[in-house]
């Protein structure tokens, strides 16, 4: 099969090689999936640059790709959830990525059935951001009726996190460019702050939860608007000891991340708040909630920026790296 391979890490990026490799054989609890569409994400560029090696130390050569939709070809001897012909999508397991390929052997626990109303291209846009949003909301314990601030919620993460939170009965506030206000309100945000006209720290106070997508420079202000005892979950801050323990990392990494994240733990402790870092992991059961939250009569909307062929993977990675994507960048893998 053809696959996009990372042969070595590069701090300033690296070129993937598209070449023939053996088609994987599914282990007992895996299914072999014919990949239809894979999505290209900032995470892929982070992996290429070696920025997540402390969390997931992938060995090269590595078949790249974290998010996909496809069709089940056959199931392993102990796999029972799916059969040949089923439309599935998922976030590749952290320990074994490889969506930029014609076939992938995937643990069945990482997969969910694609909702009937989603085309395969649309389905490939969902898993990474949907799971990130669901896992962050679950970690912070946000409940119906509470208020959640999503920093910089006009991007691809916000486009998924806002409607998910709104469908769960959570009141959503976010900030961004005024040109995005109508779209973001339609997604379910009750409060929108034009960052050029107002600082969110001057508008919001005592919010129950914060989902940080901007990182260290915004964290002090995000803690300021968080109520005493509130919970902040960051996608861009530093991992801390709590993250390392949840992820089952080694004692050495627990100590390392405990030191790295101590600044934010202390920042949170001043008002009995909690700081957590999240790195999205595979979870097919959690992904199945998307169909529950977004049935056919109230469907999930996705946005596609552009579609590339597998042999154009480096162009797709550059598109994402440029920061100019307006929606998901996709790789069309299955040929007509």
């Amino acid at each position: 099969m053809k696959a996009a391979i990372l042969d070595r890490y590069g701090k300033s990026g690296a070129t993937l090689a598209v070449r023939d490799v053996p088609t994987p054989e599914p282990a007992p609890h895996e299914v072999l999936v014919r990949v239809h569409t894979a999505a290209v994400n900032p995470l892929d560029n982070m992996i290429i640059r070696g920025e997540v090696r402390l969390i997931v130390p992938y060995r090269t050569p590595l078949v790249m790709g974290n998010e996909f939709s496809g069709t089940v070809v056959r199931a392993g001897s102990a796999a029972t959830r799916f059969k040949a012909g089923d439309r599935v999508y998922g976030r590749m397991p952290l320990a074994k990525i490889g969506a930029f390929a014609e076939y992938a052997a995937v643990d069945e626990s990482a997969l969910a059935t694609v909702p009937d109303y989603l085309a395969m291209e649309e389905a490939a846009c969902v898993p990474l951001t949907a799971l990130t949003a669901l896992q962050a909301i679950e970690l912070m314990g946000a409940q119906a009726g509470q208020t959640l601030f999503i920093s910089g919620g006009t991007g691809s993460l916000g486009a998924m996190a806002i409607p998910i939170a709104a469908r769960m009965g959570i009141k959503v506030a976010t900030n961004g460019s005024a040109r995005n206000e109508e779209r973001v309100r339609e997604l379910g945000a009750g409060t929108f702050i034009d960052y050029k006209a107002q600082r969110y720290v001057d508008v919001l106070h005592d919010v129950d939860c914060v989902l940080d997508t901007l990182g260290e420079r915004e964290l002090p202000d995000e803690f300021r608007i968080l109520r005493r005892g509130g919970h902040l979950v960051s996608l861009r801050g530093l991992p801390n000891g709590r993250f390392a323990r949840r992820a089952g990392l080694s004692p050495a990494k627990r100590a390392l991340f405990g030191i790295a994240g101590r600044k934010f733990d202390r920042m949170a402790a001043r008002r009995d708040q909690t700081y957590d870092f999240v790195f999205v992991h595979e979870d097919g059961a959690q992904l199945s909630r998307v169909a529950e939250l977004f049935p056919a009569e109230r469907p999930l909307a996705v946005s596609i920026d552009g579609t590339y062929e597998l042999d154009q993977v480096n162009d797709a990675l550059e598109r994402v790296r440029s920061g100019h994507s307006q929606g998901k960048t996709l790789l069309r893998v299955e040929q007509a």
Side-chain angles (χ1 to χ4, degrees), residues 1-4 18 33-40 64-65 67-70 98-104 120-121 124 307-311 313 330-336:
M1 69 172 186
K2 291 189 180 299
V18 178
V33 177
R34 176 71 163 99
V35 177
H36 184 284
T37 304
V40 183
M64 286 291 299
E67 178 181 38
F68 71 98
S69 65
F100 296 169
E102 292 179 318
Y103 294 90
M120 294 298 263
E121 294 81 4
T307 303
Y308 297 75
E309 302 300 323
L310 181 59
D311 61 6
V313 61
L330 302 179
L331 290 180
R332 184 187 295 111
V333 180
E334 184 172 25
Q335 300 301 311

Side-chain angles (χ1 to χ4, degrees), residues 13 30 37 44 55 64 108 139 141 177 270 286 290 314 323 334:
E30 293 180 333
T37 304
D44 299 305
I55 299 174
M64 286 291 299
E108 64 174 355
L139 185 58
S177 173
R270 292 170 190 160
Q286 205 168 43
V290 173
N314 292 299
E334 184 172 25

Side-chain angles (χ1 to χ4, degrees), residues 78-125:
T80 59
R81 293 183 57 211
F82 303 100
K83 65 183 184 304
D86 286 349
R87 300 195 319 152
V88 295
Y89 63 161
R91 189 254 193 270
M92 292 293 295
L94 281 178
K96 186 184 177 184
I97 64 172
F100 296 169
E102 292 179 318
Y103 294 90
V106 189
D107 192 293
E108 64 174 355
S109 66
L111 299 173
T113 301
V114 175
D116 289 340
Y117 65 81
L118 284 179
M120 294 298 263
E121 294 81 4
E122 295 171 325
C125 301

Side-chain angles (χ1 to χ4, degrees), residues 4-16:
I5 311 293
L6 175 67
D7 286 309
R8 61 185 61 85
Y9 291 107
K11 288 186 178 180
S12 58
T15 299
L16 302 188

